Amino acid sequence: MRRMRGWAALALVLALAPGCKTPGSYREPVARFQTGTAQASLALGQYYAGMNRFERDMYLDERLYDTGLEVLATDARGQPTPLLGSLFSPESIQARMDAIVLLGLYAERLATLAGAQSPGKLPEGSRVLGQQLGALGQQLEGLSKKGDGSASKYVAPVTTLVGVLGSLYLENKQGQALQQGIERGEPQVRAIIDLLEADLVEVLGPQRLTGAKQALAARVVFYNTHKDKLALAERRAVLEDIRRASEDYEALVVANPVELARALRDAHEELVRFARAGRSVESFAELSAAMQAFQGRVEVAASAVQRIQQPQGK
């Protein structure tokens, strides 16, 4: 998480670096986009990382209410149980967060090229980050060989977008760079966001919601089966546990982490529209309003993610 915060902060610094030569009026929407992107990246990283703890909590929770189950380090096939295993490795989580950082840098450069009289060269401080992102495709390829099922799907769009981002800084002709950046980068950005959304909709969301529902059901069954044998204080404790589990499940139903990916998609589309529209007052006003809305959407979604990241029953 410290590394993610550092990269997100560096991305924001790059957006406002003196070398970018962005006029003051264009700094505000660009800064809003970078702030929202950094917040979305951090929230998604927390959500991915939280799945490991959630799986461990669910594993132990089953054994709390079913004395027939043992707590084991490995299962019958010799594979680690959720007690010691991880659904997502730190490397898998970091790779997806790096992909979001890449989206932010690309979109910021589009806005800078569209709004600046002189877009400037690649800031010196961004060269190290560029080299790190350049290796991202290889990292994702390696993760796919280690059992990360969707990692290989990121490789092609990430690798292409890294090349596009580099060309946006090296191209001498601003208009040509902008047009090429849009045409080559737009489908890659869409592909990366689609993959993030698929992770959340098809895997993480249903798995977490199902686990929370099972946890609530286990408590209800336990209470209904044992209520006649429990003392008043014990019944009160179990009912309180049911109440907390119900609130946890309700929070998951209401919270929608996929909104972070969808907000990123909408913000990127607005930046592309702005870049294609020219320097009109109307296009800038629309961009400014869109980036303000984007930041607000991310703040709401990130708060919801923070709520469901609290340890179960707290």
Side-chain angles (χ1 to χ4, degrees):
M1 287 302 160
R2 285 196 297 270
R3 185 184 175 196
M4 273 189 283
R5 290 191 184 96
W7 280 38
L10 179 55
L12 179 58
V13 169
L14 295 182
L16 304 178
C20 290
K21 304 293 185 184
T22 306
S25 60
Y26 288 94
R27 286 176 179 265
E28 180 265 338
V30 170
R32 284 187 182 276
F33 177 81
Q34 286 292 351
T35 299
T37 301
Q39 192 171 7
S41 174
L42 181 59
L44 284 172
Q46 291 173 333
Y47 188 69
Y48 274 103
M51 284 300 298
N52 293 332
R53 191 200 69 225
F54 180 78
E55 289 292 307
R56 188 174 298 112
D57 287 348
M58 291 297 99
Y59 177 80
L60 295 174
D61 195 73
E62 285 182 304
R63 283 140 185 83
L64 174 64
Y65 288 98
D66 187 345
T67 57
L69 297 175
E70 295 182 300
V71 176
L72 301 171
T74 58
D75 59 22
R77 297 174 297 174
Q79 298 298 315
T81 68
L83 181 66
L84 297 179
S86 297
L87 183 64
F88 290 96
S89 69
E91 294 80 9
S92 291
I93 296 169
Q94 186 62 53
R96 286 164 174 80
M97 298 310 98
D98 292 349
I100 296 176
V101 170
L102 178 62
L103 296 180
L105 290 175
Y106 166 75
E108 178 274 323
R109 187 57 176 173
L110 286 187
T112 300
L113 283 171
Q117 296 293 338
S118 177
K121 298 180 180 181
L122 182 68
E124 184 62 33
S126 70
R127 295 185 186 277
V128 174
L129 178 59
Q131 293 172 356
Q132 292 171 323
L133 290 175
L136 182 56
Q138 295 177 354
Q139 295 168 6
L140 287 161
E141 189 68 58
L143 288 170
S144 67
K145 297 176 181 178
K146 296 180 181 179
D148 189 334
S150 64
S152 62
K153 299 177 183 178
Y154 284 84
V155 174
V158 161
T159 302
T160 302
L161 192 59
V162 168
V164 172
L165 179 61
S167 69
L168 288 177
Y169 281 104
L170 297 176
E171 175 62 55
N172 292 324
K173 296 181 180 180
Q174 179 178 344
Q176 182 179 348
L178 178 60
Q179 185 63 31
Q180 290 181 349
I182 292 173
E183 299 304 325
R184 292 179 57 205
E186 186 177 7
Q188 313 308 325
V189 170
R190 190 179 300 111
I192 293 171
I193 294 175
D194 286 347
L195 288 168
L196 289 169
E197 184 175 2
D199 277 348
L200 294 166
V201 172
E202 299 173 11
V203 181
L204 302 185
Q207 188 167 352
R208 187 152 190 173
L209 191 62
T210 298
K213 189 174 183 178
Q214 290 175 345
L216 176 59
R219 287 159 170 75
V220 171
V221 170
F222 179 86
Y223 179 82
N224 291 337
T225 303
H226 297 87
K227 62 182 184 299
D228 294 337
K229 303 174 184 178
L230 299 175
L232 177 62
E234 293 172 326
R235 291 202 307 274
R236 181 178 290 113
V238 176
L239 288 171
E240 176 62 18
D241 201 17
I242 290 174
R243 183 188 65 78
R244 290 196 297 259
S246 177
E247 290 178 349
D248 290 342
Y249 176 71
E250 182 181 25
L252 279 169
V253 172
V254 174
N256 191 8
V258 75
E259 171 66 8
L260 293 166
R262 291 169 179 168
L264 277 169
R265 177 188 290 111
D266 292 345
H268 169 256
E269 290 177 355
E270 287 297 330
L271 282 166
V272 168
R273 186 178 296 112
F274 168 73
R276 284 176 168 155
R279 299 168 183 272
S280 69
V281 175
E282 292 79 6
S283 65
F284 171 75
E286 291 173 357
L287 176 69
S288 183
M291 293 305 103
Q292 187 171 358
F294 166 63
Q295 190 175 10
R297 288 172 66 184
V298 168
E299 288 174 355
V300 171
S303 296
V305 169
Q306 187 65 37
R307 166 65 183 88
I308 63 179
Q309 287 305 107
Q310 299 297 324
Q312 187 181 22
K314 300 298 182 181

